[in-house]
Amino acid sequence: MSRNIPEKPALEGLEAKWGAYWEEAGTYRFDRTRTRAEIFSIDTPPPTVSGSLHMGSVFGYVQTDAHARYRRMAGKEVFYPMGWDDNGLPTERRVQNYYGVKCDPSLPYDPDFTPPTEPPSPHLPISRRNFVELCHILTAEDEQVFENIWRSLGLSVDWTQTYATIDPHSQRTSQQAFLNNLIRGEAYSQEAPVLWDIDFQTAVAQAELEDRERPAAYHKVAFARPDGSPLYIESTRPELIISCVALVAHPDDERYQDLFGKTVTSPLFGVELPIRSHHLADPEKGTGIAMVCTFGDTTDVTWWRELDLPMRAVIQRDGRFLQTTPGWLEGKGAETYPQIAGLYPNQVQRKMIELLKESGDLEGEPRPITHPVKFYEQGDRPLEIVTSRQWFIRNGGRDDALRKEFLERGEALRWVPDFMGVRYRHWVEGLTGDWLISRQRFFGVAIPLWYPVLEDGSTDHENPIVPLDEQLPVDPSSHVPDGYEESQRGRPGGFVGDPDIMDTWATSSLTPQIAGHWIDDSDLWTRVFPMDIRPQGPEIIRTWLFSTTVRSHFEHGVLPWRTATINGWILDPDRKKMSKSKGNVVTPEDLMTEHSPEAVRYWACNGRPGTDTALDEGVIKIGRRLAIKILNAARFALGFTEEDLDRSHISEALDTSMLAGLAGVVAQATEAFEDYDYARALEITERSFWEWTDDYLELVKTRAYEDGPEASSAHASLQLALGIYLRLFAPFLPFVTEEVWSWWREGSIHRNPWPKGSEIGDVAGQPEVIDVASRVLTAVRRAKSDARVSMKVDVSRLEITADTLTIERLRRAESDLLAAARAIGIQYREGPFEVTVELATDTG
RNA sequence: GGGCGAUUAGCUCAGUUGGCUAGAGCACUGCCCUUACAAGGCAGGGGUCGGCGGUUCGAGUCCGUCAUCGCCCACCA
C-alpha cells in the first residue's frame, strides 16, 4: 500500500476535508437494524436556538461527543440525534427584537406581510399567524448556524436524526402525551392563583422563577381596632391594603392573643377584617402581624387557602389595578378608589403613601430595606399573582406518595458525578405545587383541546373536547373538533378552542419520545428506549431532567435513561483576562478559526465531569500543539518503510517495554471511559504520548534509521503504538486522528475498534526497561544542558551506579541508550542510583 | 437563611481507596536550528496544598470549624 504522507502536515483544512468525508460515507449514520443490547442511545439536549452559541454549550456537547465516539469504537451502535429547542418565549423575544414586531392576536392575518427592514419603535403589531411565521423563519436560520458550528466541532451526530421542538412531529408527540396524561388523570385544569408576568402576560411555573434582590421599604400602617385605637402592621406593599382580606399573627404571639377572632378596619377603605392566627406568621418580621392580601405573595396564597378567606383581587392580567370600583368597597372606600383605578402597582403605592399621610394612618417615614422578589427568569418586572384557569401536570408537589415515587426514580438513576443527584432530591422535596404547563403565549405547541360553549354562553371547562389521534397535531384556534362546524365557534351550543400553548418544557420533557419516535415508529422506539445517557447542564436538573422523568414515569413506568451525565459550569473569562473594553467577545467560531476545532475540543475534554472550568485560551493552545505533535510524530513513525509490519517482527527489549507500558495505558483509559471520565482518559493518553515522543522516539531513532531485524522491530513497534495512540485520541481529536489513519489504514478510524491490550499481547516485555533508560537519557541531557552544549555532543564516559536489577534492565536497552546519548560505552557500578557523565568537550 | 461544589506553583488545572523528596501545561530562566516537529526540542527555578483545631505511626487526601468564591434553593408581611 502506498502512503501519502504530506511533507509538512498541518491542521488547516482537516475539518472541511473530513467533515465532508464523514457526511459522504455516512460514518455516523445510525444502523437501526441493531438490537437494543448493541445500541448506545443518547438523549441529546436540544439547544435553545436564540442567537449565538456560547462556549458553555460547546463544553458540554464536545464532552458528550467524546462519550459517543468512545462507545462507537467500543462496539456499540450509537444513537446520537440532534434537536433544536425553538418553541417558546426565548424565540418570541428574539423575533420581537430582531424584526421589531409584536404579536396582537386580535389582528387579521396578512398574507403579503414582509417584516420591516429596520426594527421600528414602537414595535409593529402583527397577527398571531404572521408572528408565528416569523418565528419559523428566524429559527430555521439560527438552526443552520448552529448545525454548522456542531459540524465544525466534529460532533458525531447522525444528521438524519434531527428534530425541532416546534416541528409537526414534536407537536404531535407533545399533544399525544398530554392527552394520555389527561385521560389517566395526571393532567388537570384548575382556576387558581398563579404567578404571573405582567409584561409577557402569561403564567409561569415554579421552575422558571428566580429571586432578585430589590430595594423596598417597610411602611408602618395603622388599622383601627374596634375601640378606634391603632393596630400597626408593617408592609412593603401598602398598595395592596385594598385587597387585604385578614390580618394574621403567630398563634403563640402573646402580643396578639386577645385579638384573634376579633376584627379591625382597614385605613382609607374602611373594610372590616378578621384577625387570624397561622404558624407561618413570623413574630420577628415587622410588627409580627401581617396583612393577608389576594395576592401579594405566595404566602398569601397559602393563608388564603388554609384560612378559607375571601378573594379580593385588584391586579389584572396586564398588571393594572381594576378600572372599576371593586364591589367590596362602599362609602368612603368607594370614593377613594377612582384615584388608583387603572394604575400600575408602583404608581398605586406612591398614591397610597400620599393618602395615608394625609389621613394620618402612616406612622413615621418608610424604612428602606432590600429583599428578594420573585421574577420570571426572563422577565423585567416583579411577578404578580393572578387568578386564572391553567393546566397542570401532577409532579408530586401536592401528593406525598407520588413525590416519593419521583424521589425513588432519582435514587435509581446513576448520576455522573454522583453529588448531582442531591440537586434533584432537594428540588423534588421542595416542590410546592403541581407543574403548571399552560402559557398564555403564541409560539408553541397548542393545548389540544376545545371546550363546549353552553347555552348560556359560558364555557364548560370541566368537559373538554378531545381531538382524534389522527387529527394531531391540532391547532384548536383554527381546527374544528369532530362533530362540529367552524360556524359554531364561540356560539352557544358550539365550542371554543383552548387559547393557550404549552410551556416549552412540556415538549422538551419528551425528547426521548420525540427522537426515538415513540408515536410513529415502535420498532425504532424499542431499540433505543430507555436511553443510555442524558447529558445536560446542572442548572436544568430541576426543569428538563425532572420533567422528563415525570413524563416517562407516567407514560412508560420507567426511568427514561440509565445515567445522567452532568457537565460543569463555564466561568466567565471576562472577569479575569479578556478585556471587555476591547469589545472582543470571544465566540466558539473565533476560537475554532484561530486555534482549530481540535484545540477547542481539547479544552472542553480537559474539564472534569461536573467540574466548573474557566475558559482558558492557554489550554486551547495546548490542544493545538498536541494535534500538531500527533501529525509530526506520525510522519516520523511511518516514514521508514511502506510495509505493514505485524508484531512478529518485534523483538527488541526497548520496544517490548514501551508496548507493555502502552498496554497499561489502554487499560487505564478504557476504565476511565467506562466510568464516564473522559478527562482522565485524555490525561492518561496524553501523558503517555508525550513520553512516547520525548523518550521512546529519541531512544529508538538511530536503530530505526538502520537496516535489519532490529530496525524492523522498531518500525513494527512504531506502527503498532501509533495505531493504538491514534485510536485512544480519536474520541477527543477526531480530525487529526482520521487524517493520520488515512495515511496507512483503511476506512474511518471512528468505525475501527477501540484498542485492546491483546493487540500487544505476548509481545509486551518489562515496562521498567524504558523507564530506567529514560532516566539515564534525562541525566545525559541535563549534563549537556548544564554544559550549555548541543545534544549532539559525544559522551566520552558514562558511568551508572544502580542496583543489580536496574543494571540488568539497562543492559537490555544498552545499544539504544548509547546511540541516543551519543556515548561509546557504559561503566556500571552497584549502589544508589547515580549517573556520571563526561562530555567529549570537557577535556578539550 | 439552607444545600451542593470549589479553594494545590504567578495563571489554568491533575492528584484513584490517607503512605516514599506534592505533579502537568502556560508563564519565567538557560541551552540547542539534533534529518518527525523552531507557532519546536531539552533542561531548570518556583508551592507553609485557604485559616485554625482534631483523628492517625503518617493528612493535599478523613472529621470539625471559620473564611472566600461559584451555583442551586428559600414564605416578597
Side-chain angles (χ1 to χ4, degrees):
Chain A
M1 176 193 326
S2 121
R3 294 178 188 169
N4 185 20
I5 304 175
E7 193 56 38
K8 193 89 175 157
L11 297 179
E12 282 63 34
L14 294 186
E15 147 222 340
K17 174 182 174 184
W18 292 110
Y21 170 84
W22 294 332
E23 180 64 26
E24 172 86 29
T27 306
Y28 309 122
R29 200 66 40 84
F30 176 65
D31 175 3
R32 58 174 298 163
T33 65
R34 305 285 284 273
T35 65
R36 181 66 194 85
E38 298 169 317
I39 288 167
F40 185 83
S41 47
I42 300 172
D43 186 17
T44 325
T48 302
V49 255
S50 54
S52 64
L53 201 53
H54 257 264
M55 285 306 286
S57 305
V58 169
F59 190 63
Y61 281 87
V62 168
Q63 291 168 353
T64 301
D65 184 60
H67 284 313
R69 288 180 178 279
Y70 165 71
R71 297 286 169 176
R72 189 179 293 113
M73 294 177 77
K76 295 285 189 179
E77 184 61 26
V78 176
F79 181 68
Y80 192 7
M82 181 58 71
W84 313 112
D85 190 16
D86 46 14
N87 87 43
L89 261 177
T91 297
E92 289 191 22
R93 278 172 65 118
R94 181 157 153 74
V95 165
Q96 283 171 11
N97 296 331
Y98 188 89
Y99 295 111
V101 297
K102 68 178 180 187
C103 180
D104 183 346
S106 67
L107 293 175
Y109 175 63
D110 174 3
D112 300 323
F113 174 77
T114 51
T117 45
E118 285 288 313
S121 184
H123 287 180
L124 181 70
I126 59 174
S127 76
R128 177 175 177 153
R129 188 166 158 194
N130 286 120
F131 185 79
V132 168
E133 282 178 0
L134 288 182
C135 289
H136 282 294
I137 290 169
L138 192 57
T139 52
E141 289 175 12
D142 287 344
E143 282 157 23
Q144 194 54 53
V145 171
F146 273 38
E147 179 175 333
N148 291 343
I149 296 172
W150 289 152
R151 283 179 181 271
S152 301
L153 269 172
L155 297 193
S156 60
V157 161
D158 178 354
W159 289 103
T160 66
Q161 304 278 352
T162 57
Y163 63 87
T165 54
I166 198 63
D167 71 26
H169 172 67
S170 293
Q171 296 209 24
R172 200 181 143 204
T173 305
S174 182
Q175 292 187 333
Q176 183 69 65
F178 169 80
L179 293 171
N180 290 2
N181 290 137
L182 176 66
I183 289 160
R184 289 190 299 259
E186 294 141 8
Y188 64 92
S189 78
Q190 191 179 49
E191 177 107 13
V194 293
L195 287 159
W196 186 270
D197 188 291
I198 61 175
D199 292 311
F200 290 113
Q201 297 199 33
T202 180
V204 301
Q206 185 183 356
E208 296 168 298
L209 307 181
E210 67 181 29
D211 286 357
R212 297 182 198 164
E213 281 292 326
R214 281 292 179 273
Y218 277 120
H219 302 80
K220 193 167 183 180
V221 177
F223 283 61
R225 300 184 201 232
D227 64 3
S229 64
L231 173 66
Y232 289 105
I233 59 101
E234 283 200 295
S235 174
T236 57
R237 301 199 65 182
E239 69 272 24
L240 291 176
I241 290 172
I242 188 173
S243 70
C244 185
V245 290
L247 299 188
V248 64
H250 195 275
D252 300 334
D253 195 326
E254 293 183 0
R255 292 170 292 182
Y256 303 109
Q257 289 298 324
D258 59 327
L259 285 173
F260 292 136
K262 306 243 173 63
T263 61
V264 291
T265 309
S266 64
L268 299 179
F269 301 105
V271 177
E272 191 170 326
L273 302 165
I275 298 177
R276 305 287 296 272
S277 69
H278 194 278
H279 66 275
L280 283 180
D282 183 353
E284 300 296 317
K285 281 189 183 171
T287 59
I289 189 163
M291 292 197 298
V292 181
C293 305
T294 53
F295 297 94
D297 62 32
T298 52
T299 315
D300 283 341
V301 178
T302 306
W303 283 328
W304 170 77
R305 190 179 286 135
E306 295 188 6
L307 299 176
D308 198 20
L309 296 164
M311 172 81 80
R312 288 174 191 152
V314 287
I315 298 177
Q316 307 175 99
R317 295 185 172 205
D318 62 1
R320 294 172 186 272
F321 274 50
L322 292 170
Q323 294 290 351
T324 55
T325 303
W328 65 86
L329 296 183
E330 42 192 46
K332 185 183 68 172
E335 288 168 27
T336 306
Y337 189 79
Q339 299 183 66
I340 58 173
L343 300 180
Y344 283 109
N346 55 343
Q347 298 171 315
V348 176
Q349 184 179 99
R350 284 196 290 275
K351 189 70 192 172
M352 285 297 292
I353 292 169
E354 194 182 300
L355 294 173
L356 287 167
K357 278 181 175 168
E358 279 173 19
S359 69
D361 293 314
L362 185 65
E363 173 72 14
E365 284 298 309
R367 187 159 54 86
I369 57 159
T370 61
H371 65 172
V373 178
K374 280 196 195 309
F375 281 73
Y376 173 43
E377 59 192 359
Q378 310 197 41
D380 299 318
R381 284 198 279 182
L383 292 170
E384 297 295 346
I385 294 174
V386 168
T387 297
S388 56
R389 177 162 289 276
Q390 303 288 345
W391 279 96
F392 297 84
I393 290 178
R394 299 183 197 282
N395 66 1
R398 295 171 61 186
D399 176 347
D400 282 343
L402 184 59
R403 189 194 304 265
K404 187 159 171 289
E405 288 176 36
F406 286 126
L407 286 170
E408 285 166 0
R409 292 288 183 208
E411 293 291 319
L413 183 62
R414 178 176 174 198
W415 295 85
V416 180
D418 57 359
F419 64 80
M420 290 293 182
V422 177
R423 298 193 183 204
Y424 174 98
R425 181 159 56 82
H426 287 167
W427 175 253
V428 177
E429 284 173 350
L431 288 169
T432 57
D434 283 329
W435 174 20
L436 197 169
I437 59 159
S438 45
R439 295 290 182 277
Q440 291 66 52
R441 298 299 307 175
F442 316 109
F443 190 59
V445 179
I447 296 204
L449 297 173
W450 300 269
Y451 307 99
V453 176
L454 302 177
E455 291 306 329
D456 66 1
S458 66
T459 303
D460 179 10
H461 286 103
E462 299 308 315
N463 297 291
I465 304 164
V466 175
L468 305 172
D469 286 358
E470 57 268 27
Q471 281 182 289
L472 301 180
V474 74
D475 174 12
S477 68
S478 60
H479 296 144
V480 177
D482 199 33
Y484 290 85
E485 291 179 8
E486 180 60 35
S487 61
Q488 292 174 279
R489 187 183 293 274
R491 299 288 177 79
F495 69 94
V496 290
D498 191 307
D500 292 347
I501 60 170
M502 288 189 249
D503 171 42
T504 188
W505 296 113
T507 299
S508 57
S509 60
L510 296 162
T511 49
Q513 290 85 349
I514 292 168
H517 284 261
W518 159 61
I519 47 168
D520 60 1
D521 191 343
S522 62
D523 176 73
L524 177 64
W525 177 244
T526 55
R527 290 172 198 271
V528 300
F529 187 85
M531 298 207 167
D532 289 275
I533 60 167
R534 154 60 74 85
Q536 64 162 72
E539 76 284 6
I540 50 174
I541 289 173
R542 63 177 179 159
T543 49
W544 191 39
L545 192 147
F546 177 58
S547 62
T548 310
T549 306
V550 169
R551 304 308 284 281
S552 179
H553 177 80
F554 284 144
E555 194 62 51
H556 314 293
V558 294
L559 267 177
W561 344 266
R562 293 178 177 81
T563 303
T565 56
I566 310 296
N567 61 255
W569 195 258
I570 297 302
L571 301 176
D572 188 357
D574 290 0
R575 212 181 24 171
K576 306 198 164 162
K577 282 187 202 157
M578 294 179 190
S579 54
K580 253 183 198 166
S581 55
K582 287 182 185 168
N584 56 345
V585 178
V586 178
T587 67
E589 295 99 309
D590 293 338
L591 292 170
M592 283 193 283
T593 304
E594 187 175 353
H595 304 291
S596 84
E598 312 262 25
V600 173
R601 287 181 63 102
Y602 174 88
W603 162 76
C605 294
N606 242 282
R608 254 57 190 175
T611 300
D612 297 348
T613 306
L615 175 53
D616 181 5
E617 253 187 291
V619 176
I620 299 177
K621 287 178 182 168
I622 298 165
R624 179 181 173 83
R625 203 167 63 108
L626 173 64
I628 293 171
K629 189 78 173 177
I630 289 171
L631 289 172
N632 286 311
R635 208 169 83 82
F636 173 80
L638 299 175
F640 299 101
T641 172
E642 293 274 308
E643 210 180 333
D644 263 344
L645 299 170
D646 65 32
R647 66 185 185 190
S648 68
H649 293 87
I650 300 170
S651 54
E652 297 298 295
L654 186 80
D655 302 339
T656 63
S657 173
M658 177 275 289
L659 290 166
L662 184 52
V665 169
V666 169
Q668 288 181 61
T670 305
E671 188 189 341
F673 258 125
E674 287 293 324
D675 217 23
Y676 291 99
D677 195 344
Y678 52 86
R680 193 155 57 89
L682 173 58
E683 187 192 20
I684 289 162
T685 303
E686 189 188 4
R687 181 167 46 211
S688 170
F689 177 73
W690 281 105
E691 284 172 8
W692 189 66
T693 59
D694 291 349
D695 294 333
Y696 177 72
L697 261 47
E698 292 302 322
L699 284 163
V700 82
K701 186 175 282 180
T702 306
R703 173 157 52 91
Y705 276 111
E706 291 165 355
D707 291 313
E710 294 84 1
S712 292
S713 175
H715 304 160
S717 301
L718 285 166
Q719 289 182 15
L720 179 56
L722 179 66
I724 289 172
Y725 276 121
L726 287 177
R727 281 174 291 150
L728 290 175
F729 277 126
F732 310 107
L733 309 172
F735 299 107
V736 71
T737 51
E738 186 78 306
E739 168 71 12
V740 174
W741 193 259
S742 75
W743 292 347
W744 99 112
R745 294 279 139 119
E746 291 295 324
S748 170
I749 189 173
H750 303 295
R751 282 288 183 177
N752 264 272
W754 184 251
K756 289 192 177 68
S758 58
E759 293 174 36
I760 291 164
D762 57 8
V763 173
Q766 285 188 14
E768 297 85 356
V769 171
I770 189 166
D771 292 344
V772 292
S774 298
R775 281 178 71 186
V776 173
L777 182 61
T778 298
V780 171
R781 283 170 178 161
R782 185 184 300 125
K784 292 179 179 177
S785 189
D786 289 348
R788 304 187 168 193
V789 297
S790 163
M791 293 296 149
K792 279 162 73 175
V793 165
D794 286 342
V795 172
S796 55
R797 184 162 168 274
L798 180 56
E799 183 180 294
I800 298 169
T801 312
D803 57 70
T804 319
L805 188 57
T806 301
I807 291 171
E808 194 260 323
R809 285 170 175 154
L810 283 171
R811 284 187 194 279
R812 296 205 210 167
E814 190 173 283
S815 59
D816 291 327
L817 185 53
L818 287 174
R822 291 175 180 268
I824 46 171
I826 303 178
Q827 285 81 51
Y828 296 102
R829 291 174 55 186
E830 296 231 355
F833 188 82
E834 196 187 345
V835 179
T836 308
V837 182
E838 278 179 24
L839 302 176
T841 54
D842 288 357
T843 51

